[in-house]
Amino acid sequence: MRESYDRMRSDVSFVAFFRYFVRLDIFNTDRYVFMNFLKKLFGGSSAEVPQTDSAELQTAVAEENATDKNALRQADTLKFDALRALKFNEIDFAIQALGKSIELSPRFETRYYLGMALVKANRQEEALDQFSLVLHEQPEHTLTLLQRAHLHLQHGSYAEAVADAEKVLLLTEEDEQKLTAGRLIAESYAGGEDWAAAVQALDAAIALPEQDNYEVRLLRARYLVNLNEYDRAEEDLQILAEQNPHEELVPLVRARMARARRSDEDAMMHYREALELDPFNDMAYRGLAELMPDRSAALELIGTVFEEQPHNLSIGLLLKQLLEEQGKAEEAVALAEKLKAMEPKVGQDPDQVAKGLYSGGIY
């Protein structure tokens, strides 16, 4: 039995065995240690260690290195092809190429690009998995932390979004990343209706030097309205109006603030200001229609707008609601059939598009 075992042991392919240890770099670090290791593994004296020709060993090493280099070249080619494809919005091809590149050579930057491609394809759960794999390997990669925080925010995982964004604030020296992280933190707190914490996060973001803080200042004005801090909100809105007098979002926030103050006439005035700047602003039309005391006039207004914008689904749905409100059921049903032919936005229920555009919406 012992002799049979020894014979089986001596028949082991040393070349295959050697290739494994080449990967671990044991042979190259200390030949003496390596040979002693083999003696202990196979047992007996040095005469019992399987011998092989040095040329055969060199061939094995060369083959192994050539295979690795070829796989690396293929992985790089696929990665760069995928990045070019993303520029032309060929997302499916990019995802397949990046996936194959990872199979050949799993590198964290390729996983990051794959995560970005999956975001473009609206495959958010898969993108979240890829970003988490990147962070498992590179836990301080701030761009990936920001991307994952954004996905957490979209999924309503506010605590996780805050945790990732706050880690970025601790790690990065770049003010642009700090600005993005501050906004993500603020929007996460706003998702939980903690308006004070949201404003505090935006205060720090706005204080960053030499950064374009237009959007975060607009965001802060909205949150200040929720805190009933109207004077501070108006200060932000005044700065924004001076920076960009053609921005329709400023009068929309002012209209929202006027409604919060129970000043419907002022709100309607601001909605009209927004429409002067943007005649296609759905939120402004909805705000006007909701506040007009003459409901027949509101129906007439939205009917005229829909005639001018027959492919505007949200205006069409608003018109349908007003027809139902006025008891014009047959016209509402006919309009509903027409609206079915219009494509809703990805991920939206067509019956919900017009609902809540003002109440609980962005502005």
Side-chain angles (χ1 to χ4, degrees), residues 73-119:
R73 281 196 298 270
Q74 290 183 32
D76 284 338
T77 299
L78 287 164
K79 180 178 70 174
F80 292 128
D81 284 348
L83 294 178
R84 282 192 291 269
L86 284 174
K87 292 181 179 179
F88 294 97
N89 210 35
E90 296 176 3
I91 300 173
D92 290 339
F93 172 82
I95 291 172
Q96 292 177 7
L98 289 167
K100 182 60 177 177
S101 177
I102 291 171
E103 288 180 14
L104 293 169
S105 178
R107 288 175 286 182
F108 81 91
E109 69 271 18
T110 311
R111 287 196 186 280
Y112 174 79
Y113 294 134
L114 177 57
M116 296 297 293
L118 290 166
V119 169

Side-chain angles (χ1 to χ4, degrees), residues 302-330:
I302 301 304
T304 301
V305 173
F306 189 64
E307 288 177 2
E308 296 171 351
Q309 304 176 32
H311 301 294
N312 190 324
L313 179 60
S314 61
I315 291 294
L317 289 169
L318 176 57
L319 177 59
K320 173 176 171 289
Q321 291 177 13
L322 290 170
L323 287 169
E324 292 171 344
E325 178 187 305
Q326 296 292 308
K328 300 183 177 183
E330 291 184 4

Side-chain angles (χ1 to χ4, degrees), residues 10 16 53 61 73 101 107 128 142 150-151 153 161 166 171 180 238 243 270 286 292:
S10 64
D53 186 79
V61 174
R73 281 196 298 270
S101 177
R107 288 175 286 182
L128 194 59
T142 53
H150 181 68
L151 289 178
L153 174 62
E166 285 184 340
L171 292 170
T180 302
Q238 186 60 38
Q243 290 179 356
H270 291 308
R286 168 165 283 275
M292 291 176 69

Side-chain angles (χ1 to χ4, degrees), residues 176-191:
E176 185 177 357
Q177 289 190 8
K178 290 180 180 178
L179 184 71
T180 302
R183 175 168 182 167
L184 287 168
I185 292 170
E187 290 185 294
S188 298
Y189 282 129

Side-chain angles (χ1 to χ4, degrees), residues 32-47:
Y32 177 76
V33 172
F34 177 71
M35 296 304 290
N36 280 338
F37 172 77
L38 289 180
K39 284 194 283 185
K40 290 181 180 180
L41 181 65
F42 285 97
S45 64
S46 58

Side-chain angles (χ1 to χ4, degrees), residues 146-318:
L146 289 173
Q147 291 295 335
R148 191 171 72 171
H150 181 68
L151 289 178
H152 282 318
L153 174 62
Q154 289 184 317
H155 292 168
S157 302
Y158 302 128
E160 289 84 352
V162 169
D164 279 348
E166 285 184 340
K167 190 172 182 180
V168 172
L169 292 179
L170 293 174
L171 292 170
T172 189
E173 297 295 331
E174 298 183 21
D175 285 345
E176 185 177 357
Q177 289 190 8
K178 290 180 180 178
L179 184 71
T180 302
R183 175 168 182 167
L184 287 168
I185 292 170
E187 290 185 294
S188 298
Y189 282 129
E193 298 188 356
D194 188 345
W195 308 112
V199 167
Q200 186 176 6
L202 292 173
D203 289 343
I206 290 170
L208 291 169
E210 300 181 4
Q211 292 297 309
D212 182 1
N213 57 28
Y214 188 92
E215 291 186 1
V216 292
R217 190 179 291 276
L218 181 64
L219 202 60
R220 186 171 71 175
R222 288 173 46 207
Y223 296 165
L224 287 168
V225 171
N226 289 335
L227 288 171
N228 298 327
E229 295 189 29
Y230 304 128
D231 291 340
R232 282 191 67 192
E234 180 56 36
E235 288 176 7
D236 275 344
L237 293 172
Q238 186 60 38
I239 292 172
L240 294 168
E242 291 173 0
Q243 290 179 356
N244 185 3
H246 302 293
E247 174 61 78
E248 76 276 7
L249 300 180
V250 171
L252 282 176
V253 177
R254 282 179 169 151
R256 186 166 178 263
M257 185 161 57
R259 292 185 74 161
R261 286 173 155 172
R262 309 290 185 184
S263 180
D264 289 354
E265 289 189 6
D266 286 345
M268 292 174 68
M269 177 187 68
H270 291 308
Y271 284 132
R272 292 189 179 97
E273 289 175 2
L275 288 171
E276 288 177 4
L277 295 169
D278 177 14
F280 300 95
N281 193 293
D282 299 345
M283 289 176 284
Y285 281 122
R286 168 165 283 275
L288 274 178
E290 288 178 344
L291 295 178
M292 291 176 69
D294 187 340
R295 306 312 295 158
S296 296
L299 176 59
E300 183 179 356
L301 169 67
I302 301 304
T304 301
V305 173
F306 189 64
E307 288 177 2
E308 296 171 351
Q309 304 176 32
H311 301 294
N312 190 324
L313 179 60
S314 61
I315 291 294
L317 289 169
L318 176 57

